[in-house]
Amino acid sequence: MPGLLSDVLAWVAIGTFVAGAVANGRDRELGRRVMTAAWVLFALFWLQLIPHFTLVHKSYIEGLLTIAAVPASLYTGWLLYNGRDTLFVLSRAVAAMGVVYLPFETIPAFTLFGATVPAPRGVLMETVAAQTRFLTELLGYSPQMILGDQGYLNTFLWMQGSHRIEISVVLACTGLGSIAIFVGLIAAVEAPMRRKLRGLAIAVPIIYALNLLRTTFISISVGNQYFQLFVDEILFLFGSSDPYMVSFFISDRIISQALAVVALVGITYLVVHEVPELLTVIEDVLYMVTGEEYDLKSELGLDGRA
């Protein structure tokens, strides 16, 4: 996230979701009001991120999703306030997602009893970078590893003649966001623990492995400038003047992000066969988009799963 405002707003929104989940267990109507307030705060959180994803990050997919998240959050809160109780599941899921993700995003390194505790984000980024390096070298490439802008050993240095190309593994490159989504959704539903664990055992390793393939693909593609295609058009499309960024825009912003959507749909399909209770969330999303009710358990033949 871009700064202190985002960090504070994120914690306030997630804290309100958690408070709503606790309140809902004691007083359903109080929980409803608190959760509604949480969705409004969540909309504000996404609203202030729009410039970051559209103008700074220059990601069309993430930019469009961020823009869509603002009215979607407000609409979800409105539906919940007006009695759509199934949305309590999605609300609890957002609370759990935030609890998983935000410590990595916001907690800095600190000293405790004379010992330095590293920032969680740094540990994760350096771990993914090291594993990406292993795969890269396995494929016959040998970029140099250097310290990135944040002081972590998470950056690959490639040379194109005398030109330096640096590719950093940042938090968004670790797969944590997608993992947090599935952890949150699975944690939020009411299902036997054994099926929840099986769902996590499917989702988490697949996401992590696919993400390592993605970071390896992007690093090699950009470091060797393998996608220098339609240079002028791509630079215009992404508002850049650096021709060395074309391979990055194509490999990351276009190919990888499009494939990530397909992969998440496939992983969701696998997980709902173990935890069909997740279909409640999908049915709610479909209702918000189409205005029609769905019974996906019956359509997929997953009724009566113990």
Side-chain angles (χ1 to χ4, degrees):
M1 290 182 285
L4 180 61
L5 174 62
S6 290
D7 290 351
V8 172
L9 193 52
W11 275 114
V12 171
I14 295 304
T16 307
F17 274 114
V18 172
V22 173
N24 183 51
R26 301 178 180 179
D27 184 331
R28 197 168 190 79
E29 292 310 309
L30 174 61
R32 188 188 310 279
R33 292 193 294 272
V34 175
M35 285 293 198
T36 299
W39 281 108
V40 173
L41 290 169
F42 207 43
L44 292 174
F45 167 74
W46 290 115
L47 180 64
Q48 56 86 36
L49 279 180
I50 290 175
H52 172 72
F53 283 112
T54 56
L55 302 178
V56 179
H57 206 49
K58 296 180 180 177
S59 170
Y60 283 93
I61 293 177
E62 291 174 320
L64 289 173
L65 290 175
T66 304
I67 293 170
V70 177
S73 297
L74 293 174
Y75 186 43
T76 303
W78 184 83
L79 288 173
L80 179 61
Y81 185 78
N82 284 279
R84 191 172 180 87
D85 287 0
T86 52
L87 286 171
F88 278 117
V89 177
L90 179 58
S91 302
R92 292 196 301 269
V94 174
M97 292 174 201
V99 169
V100 171
Y101 186 85
L102 284 182
F104 288 90
E105 178 65 56
T106 62
I107 295 178
F110 60 92
T111 300
L112 182 65
F113 301 121
T116 299
V117 179
R121 65 185 292 120
V123 174
L124 183 57
M125 290 189 300
E126 289 187 341
T127 299
V128 172
Q131 293 167 345
T132 300
R133 181 184 188 181
F134 172 78
L135 292 177
T136 301
E137 292 179 343
L138 199 64
L139 293 171
Y141 300 91
S142 54
Q144 182 182 349
M145 287 287 289
I146 61 174
L147 292 177
D149 294 339
Q150 301 176 49
Y152 302 122
L153 192 62
N154 66 330
T155 300
F156 298 94
L157 172 62
W158 299 79
M159 298 300 297
Q160 283 290 317
S162 60
H163 186 82
R164 295 166 58 96
I165 298 177
E166 297 182 9
I167 307 295
S168 296
V169 175
V170 297
L171 191 62
C173 303
T174 63
L176 177 64
S178 298
I179 290 173
I181 289 173
F182 279 95
V183 170
L185 289 171
I186 292 171
V189 298
E190 295 182 2
M193 182 58 67
R194 65 182 183 280
R195 287 201 283 107
K196 287 189 175 187
L197 292 176
R198 287 203 298 267
L200 289 173
I202 291 171
V204 175
I206 292 177
I207 291 171
Y208 195 83
L210 289 178
N211 184 71
L212 284 178
L213 294 178
R214 182 181 74 90
T215 54
T216 303
F217 165 70
I218 292 171
S219 180
I220 292 174
S221 298
V222 179
N224 293 276
Q225 297 287 279
Y226 283 152
F227 288 103
Q228 293 304 103
L229 308 170
F230 309 105
V231 173
D232 292 336
E233 292 81 1
I234 293 296
L235 290 177
F236 173 77
L237 184 63
F238 287 93
S240 176
S241 60
D242 184 357
Y244 287 96
M245 289 294 292
V246 171
S247 287
F248 173 76
F249 290 137
I250 293 178
S251 63
D252 180 47
R253 298 293 190 261
I254 298 176
I255 296 176
S256 294
Q257 290 190 6
L259 290 178
V261 174
V262 176
L264 288 176
V265 171
I267 294 169
T268 301
Y269 179 79
L270 295 175
V271 172
V272 297
H273 277 74
E274 290 296 336
V275 193
E277 290 82 358
L278 291 178
L279 291 172
T280 298
V281 176
I282 300 175
E283 289 167 354
D284 279 332
V285 173
L286 290 173
Y287 174 80
M288 287 187 285
V289 173
T290 67
E292 299 181 7
E293 298 287 357
Y294 293 84
D295 185 359
L296 296 180
K297 280 189 180 181
S298 297
E299 293 179 18
L300 295 175
L302 297 175
D303 284 323
R305 184 70 188 269

